[in-house]
Amino acid sequence: MYKDLTIGMVRTGILGFGGGPSVIPLIRYEAVTRYHWLEDDEFGDILAIANTLPGPIATKMAAYLGYRVKGWKGAIVSVAAHVLPTCLAMVFLVAFINQLSTSTTVQHMIGAVMPVVAVMLGQMAYEFGEKAVKGLGWILGFLLFLISFIMLQIISLHPGIVIAIFLLYGAFHFKWKQRWAKKKGDNEGETI
């Protein structure tokens, strides 16, 4: 299991480009699709919680996956496997950084990778949105999306506050739904 954890996190560390958010689809692929360490819903929940905590998101996700799979030792192995390849590459490439930063070949490579990262993030967002709409319905799903857009983009609330608001809403919605189902069941029992 350590071997799979190491291979999966080395892949995300090496292939991830552009910072934490662009690595999330790679981590999701390794954790959900390839190794089945998590279900997709649990990955979404962990991603939401990780977004509220300070620090790099990819490192937090790697730590959680390692902990989930093999406990504290797994968390250490997972974070090291995710971070070390990039650190080592930076140490070796520091001598060439000035040459690489002005290289047209490198700029073209970066330009070619950016659309791929955008498509991967878009696909992941679409899949999460699709699940939200299935669970909430189109009207409530669109309404909650609109509310979150207003809070994040227009009011400029911190994403952690927005997530906390929606977690509270989810808790009350779940309780209300349970009470409504129980009440409906009691009413049907009385009419029979």
Side-chain angles (χ1 to χ4, degrees):
M1 195 59 87
Y2 285 114
K3 179 183 172 188
D4 291 343
L5 196 58
T6 303
I7 291 170
M9 292 300 104
V10 165
R11 262 193 221 115
T12 62
I14 289 175
L15 299 177
F17 173 80
S22 63
V23 178
I24 298 304
L26 297 173
I27 293 175
R28 179 176 170 256
Y29 176 78
E30 296 293 334
V32 175
T33 306
R34 183 175 294 219
Y35 293 111
H36 307 287
W37 294 324
L38 301 171
E39 293 295 319
D40 207 26
D41 292 339
E42 184 179 1
F43 183 85
D45 294 342
I46 298 308
L47 178 61
I49 292 169
N51 268 322
T52 64
L53 300 173
I57 183 120
T59 309
K60 291 181 282 190
M61 294 297 289
Y64 175 80
L65 289 173
Y67 183 78
R68 176 85 158 48
V69 173
K70 283 302 225 177
W72 287 107
K73 290 179 185 177
I76 293 168
V77 167
S78 182
V79 170
H82 179 74
V83 173
L84 280 178
T86 307
C87 291
L88 293 174
M90 289 304 297
V91 167
F92 290 119
L93 293 174
V94 76
F96 306 107
I97 199 78
N98 287 334
Q99 293 174 357
L100 291 175
S101 65
T102 59
S103 167
T104 56
T105 304
V106 171
Q107 289 175 355
H108 291 307
M109 287 171 43
I110 291 170
V113 170
M114 294 298 272
V116 174
V117 170
V119 168
M120 289 173 66
L121 285 170
Q123 179 183 1
M124 188 176 76
Y126 174 79
E127 289 173 3
F128 282 148
E130 188 177 45
K131 287 183 181 188
V133 167
K134 281 182 185 176
L136 298 170
W138 280 100
I139 295 170
L140 186 56
F142 181 75
L143 181 65
L144 292 175
F145 168 77
L146 188 62
I147 291 169
S148 66
F149 180 80
I150 290 169
M151 287 192 289
L152 290 169
Q153 298 299 323
I154 296 173
I155 301 173
S156 296
L157 280 177
H158 187 278
I161 295 170
V162 175
I163 290 170
I165 290 169
F166 279 100
L167 285 173
L168 284 171
Y169 165 76
F172 286 116
H173 180 83
F174 182 70
K175 291 275 188 190
W176 174 79
K177 196 172 183 180
Q178 281 183 328
R179 286 184 186 159
W180 186 71
K182 184 179 177 188
K183 193 175 198 180
K184 185 177 176 184
D186 290 343
N187 288 341
E188 287 177 2
E190 291 173 4
T191 57
I192 295 177

